[in-house]
Amino acid sequence: MLRIKNLSAGYGRLKVLRNISLHVNQGEIVTLIGANGAGKTTLLSTVCGLLRATNGEIYLQGRDISRQRPERIVASGCSLVPEGRQVFAAMSVRDNLLLGAFVRYRAAKNKRRSMDLKPVYQLFPVLKEREAQMAGTLSGGEQQMLAMGRALMAQPALIMMDEPSTGLAPMIVKNIFSIIRQLKDKGNTVLLIEQNARAALRIADRGYVMENGKIIVQGPAADLLANQDVQRAYLGQNVDNK
Amino acid sequence: MSTELFFQYFSAGITYGFLYAIVAIGFNIIYNATGIINFAQGEFVMLGGMTAISLYPFMPLPLAIVAAVIITTIIGALVEIIFIRWLDNPSVLRMIIITIGLSILIREAALFVWGESVRSLPYFNGNSISSINIMGANVSPQVLWVIGVCAVMVTILSLFFQLSTLGREMRACAANRLAATLCGINTRNRITLSFMLSAAIGAAAGCVMSPITYSQYDMGPGLAIKGFTVAILGGLGNSMAAVAAGLLLGLVESFSVMVLPQSYQEIIATSILLLVLFIRPHGLFGNKDTAALKEF
Ligand SMILES: Nc1ncnc2c1ncn2[C@@H]1O[C@H](COP(=O)(O)OP(=O)(O)OP(=O)(O)O)[C@@H](O)[C@H]1O
Ligand SMILES: [Mg+2]
């Protein structure tokens, strides 16, 4: 689905990503964990085309997308749920979701069907209740659901999420993670970025650990959960005392 | 004051009020899409009127007006494509300087093409002395044209932004450009479109107003000040409030001749602008909180 080879990128002279290689297979949840400033968001921005790669290749479904404009990348099936949600605050929940379907209704013959909100409302019943409300007045958890729903409206082949659990109460976080799990069960492919490493690894198939712009550990999620270095650095466990 | 005199001031106030409102809405459309104030807005009004006047000898009036609106719209698009599009995240100050520069450029070009002469389109119906009797007062049919055309434009624009998918996409680009890009929307094209829309309504207003206000190469800056005042008065970005604010300014100006010498009429807008900026910078109709959630 997604294959990244030797990717480097940064902001001007500041190099952030160094030689990143990772891949996500069809139907998998892959999680990328790492501390603040590791370069996780930078990686997603580069995949989305918001940032130019200085080196390396990014293949989406076999096609190189590393030189494409962000709109084209979304149209070819890769959607991002950005850090900080970025909902259209002054627009209604419904309008937000309809905008998510942009790439589909532009290409579709049957415009009405491409704007069908039902699947997203089924996944997030609360959005149906808040349909006419301004997105900016939603709670943090609802905004996160809206951002996810908006990305899903495009029916992307790959959905990437940047720290969906940030700033949410434990109950809501649990809810969000169970929804991500449901997405996988429905056949979606997810690249999940998280600081909440334990929760992310529990629902993921595989994981990568990033530090200072490099991938330092990778493997099946269960192995990472059991890995002592990972436990010490990211799962908040003091292994020596056990 | 006689009812007739009252009505005359009133209709003049409304006429100018609508013109100011259209200029203000032009500001708003571009402001909403880009966050910048396009100080060349008044030039679009001038270009519309002057182009129609030049075309009129060669074709019927309606055709000349349509052609003038189309030409001005194309100029609006070119302005954006040539001067704005390639800038990468420019600062507000830089944008202001660029649009002021543009307004000077367009004005000088107009001076070169049309000279300093004051011109006007013919009255759409009848002539300068024909009038329609409404409730005992005589109103020029052109005034009705102005009110009608402006009201129709405002209605269509607001329906366009609220109900059409393209309008929704433009609002999205205004609300959050990054998120719009992530939805797959080409935000640059939507910004070009906002310049075209703004140029089109400016040009249309410039044509219907021309018989009453006349057209001249340097009418732009004066209009821009009035339109800017109205946009600020209504709360930047809010087009419905701009109509109310425009009518208010138009009426205040028009009735001011009862208490102030005519020559003071011009400073009213500037005084209002300064007052509003000092006291209620978010506009008469906005409040601070909703100003953060800006909308068309
Ligand atoms: N727009 C930017 N301009 C310059 N430097 C940036 C920019 N965005 C991020 N950086 C720098 O790039 C590095 C990686 O940032 P990035 O946002 O990718 O980290 P992250 O892993 O997503 O962190 P967090 O978990 O806090 O979101 C940081 O050192 C940061 O200062
Ligand atoms: Mg981040």
Side-chain angles (χ1 to χ4, degrees):
Chain A
M1 175 66 59
L2 178 73
R3 181 169 296 277
I4 298 174
K5 268 166 71 183
N6 300 327
L7 186 73
S8 300
Y11 304 90
R13 226 174 306 153
L14 176 71
K15 279 201 155 63
V16 177
L17 302 178
R18 304 150 207 267
N19 264 321
I20 300 272
S21 294
L22 67 77
H23 67 276
V24 181
N25 297 323
Q26 171 84 42
E28 269 188 324
I29 299 182
V30 171
T31 185
L32 177 70
I33 56 183
N36 288 114
K40 306 180 296 293
T41 301
T42 307
L43 177 65
L44 291 194
S45 303
T46 316
V47 174
C48 283
L50 297 170
L51 206 63
R52 264 291 137 81
T54 49
N55 210 349
E57 290 121 52
I58 306 167
Y59 294 95
L60 182 70
Q61 297 181 308
R63 280 194 300 152
D64 189 359
I65 55 166
S66 55
R67 299 280 174 276
Q68 281 187 5
R69 297 184 46 74
E71 303 94 62
R72 294 293 311 280
I73 294 176
V74 178
S76 49
C78 170
S79 288
L80 172 68
V81 182
E83 193 170 30
R85 290 133 205 174
Q86 309 283 351
V87 296
F88 300 109
M91 301 176 75
S92 70
V93 167
R94 192 186 147 78
D95 277 350
N96 269 266
L97 291 175
L98 290 175
L99 283 160
F102 172 78
V103 292
R104 277 176 61 227
Y105 66 68
R106 195 189 46 181
K109 284 227 176 64
N110 184 343
K111 306 273 177 210
R112 188 170 292 267
R113 204 165 78 222
S114 70
M115 290 197 241
D116 185 14
L117 299 167
K118 260 198 221 102
V120 168
Y121 283 155
Q122 243 158 34
L123 208 53
F124 306 104
V126 65
L127 295 183
K128 170 88 185 149
E129 287 162 33
R130 302 271 189 274
E131 196 174 45
Q133 199 172 318
M134 291 280 152
T137 63
L138 295 179
S139 76
E142 290 161 353
Q143 288 193 16
Q144 184 60 49
M145 293 180 196
L146 179 57
M148 288 166 68
R150 186 178 63 191
L152 287 169
M153 284 300 291
Q155 296 190 340
L158 169 70
I159 181 164
M160 307 193 292
M161 303 188 193
D162 197 344
E163 306 202 19
S165 73
T166 312
L168 303 181
M171 274 296 291
I172 313 284
V173 173
K174 230 173 127 187
N175 192 355
I176 297 266
F177 277 101
S178 95
I179 285 166
I180 297 174
R181 188 68 216 194
Q182 281 178 43
L183 288 178
K184 176 196 153 83
D185 296 341
K186 288 186 180 152
N188 289 283
T189 309
V190 182
L191 175 57
L192 172 66
I193 292 210
E194 261 304 330
Q195 297 231 16
N196 192 340
R198 186 191 310 277
L201 285 170
R202 281 218 180 106
I203 61 163
D205 298 299
R206 289 186 303 114
Y208 292 84
V209 179
M210 191 180 214
E211 215 173 85
N212 292 325
K214 288 195 199 109
I215 303 283
I216 52 159
V217 189
Q218 56 175 299
D223 293 3
L224 292 185
L225 271 171
N227 180 314
Q228 296 209 339
D229 293 331
V230 175
Q231 284 184 358
R232 201 175 299 123
Y234 300 102
L235 301 177
Q237 284 173 354
N238 198 336
V239 190
D240 304 328
N241 284 354
K242 272 201 180 157
Chain B
M1 181 170 61
S2 72
T3 22
E4 186 166 335
L5 194 61
F6 175 85
F7 215 82
Q8 244 161 35
Y9 287 149
F10 188 75
S11 75
I14 301 264
T15 312
Y16 278 89
F18 265 114
L19 176 63
Y20 300 157
I22 291 294
V23 179
I25 291 172
F27 275 122
N28 283 340
I29 292 174
I30 293 180
Y31 174 78
N32 275 330
T34 62
I36 61 173
I37 303 289
N38 169 33
F39 282 101
Q41 193 60 41
E43 270 60 39
F44 290 149
V45 179
M46 179 273 292
L47 282 175
M50 294 302 267
T51 310
I53 293 163
S54 294
L55 292 175
Y56 175 57
F58 308 105
M59 54 184 83
L61 184 60
L63 206 59
I65 292 175
V66 171
V69 170
I70 293 175
I71 290 171
T72 312
T73 306
I74 293 172
I75 294 175
L78 289 178
V79 159
E80 198 278 338
I81 291 169
I82 297 172
F83 296 98
I84 314 277
R85 180 178 271 250
W86 56 273
L87 298 172
D88 200 28
N89 265 329
S91 69
V92 171
L93 183 62
R94 190 160 160 217
M95 293 304 294
I96 290 176
I97 292 170
I98 288 177
T99 61
I100 291 178
L102 274 171
S103 84
I104 296 172
L105 189 72
I106 297 175
R107 204 151 60 236
E108 292 303 314
L111 176 62
F112 181 75
V113 175
W114 287 297
E116 288 185 17
S117 62
V118 177
R119 305 157 189 231
S120 91
L121 279 176
Y123 279 72
F124 292 8
N125 295 107
N127 55 40
S128 58
I129 49 164
S130 54
S131 66
I132 295 174
N133 195 307
I134 298 174
M135 296 187 296
N138 292 323
V139 180
S140 159
Q142 195 64 30
V143 167
L144 299 183
W145 270 107
V146 171
I147 296 174
V149 167
C150 292
V152 166
M153 282 199 294
V154 170
T155 315
I156 290 179
L157 270 180
S158 115
L159 290 178
F160 167 75
F161 280 121
Q162 293 307 323
L163 300 181
S164 75
T165 47
L166 187 56
R168 186 166 56 215
E169 287 152 32
M170 291 184 68
R171 280 191 293 144
C173 296
N176 187 330
R177 204 176 312 177
L178 168 68
T181 305
L182 290 177
C183 287
I185 298 169
N186 185 327
T187 53
R188 291 172 185 227
N189 290 350
R190 301 299 180 284
I191 290 173
T192 310
L193 193 60
S194 74
F195 272 78
M196 293 168 72
L197 267 182
S198 213
I201 60 166
C207 292
V208 277
M209 290 300 294
S210 178
I212 301 177
T213 63
Y214 303 115
S215 307
Q216 201 183 1
Y217 82 100
D218 66 353
M219 67 191 289
L223 277 176
I225 293 277
K226 303 279 173 68
F228 185 58
T229 306
V230 166
I232 296 282
L233 193 61
L236 257 183
N238 184 342
S239 288
M240 276 303 159
V243 176
L247 294 179
L248 189 66
L249 178 63
L251 289 172
V252 168
E253 272 192 0
S254 156
F255 280 102
S256 71
V257 289
M258 286 166 30
V259 286
L260 287 174
Q262 175 102 43
S263 51
Y264 283 98
Q265 211 179 26
E266 289 302 308
I267 65 163
I268 291 173
T270 323
S271 319
I272 293 181
L273 177 60
L274 289 177
L275 260 176
V276 173
L277 284 177
F278 279 128
I279 300 169
R280 277 186 78 87
H282 43 280
L284 277 191
F285 304 103
N287 69 44
K288 277 197 195 98
D289 301 328
T290 54
L293 300 180
K294 64 180 182 186
E295 253 291 5
F296 281 89

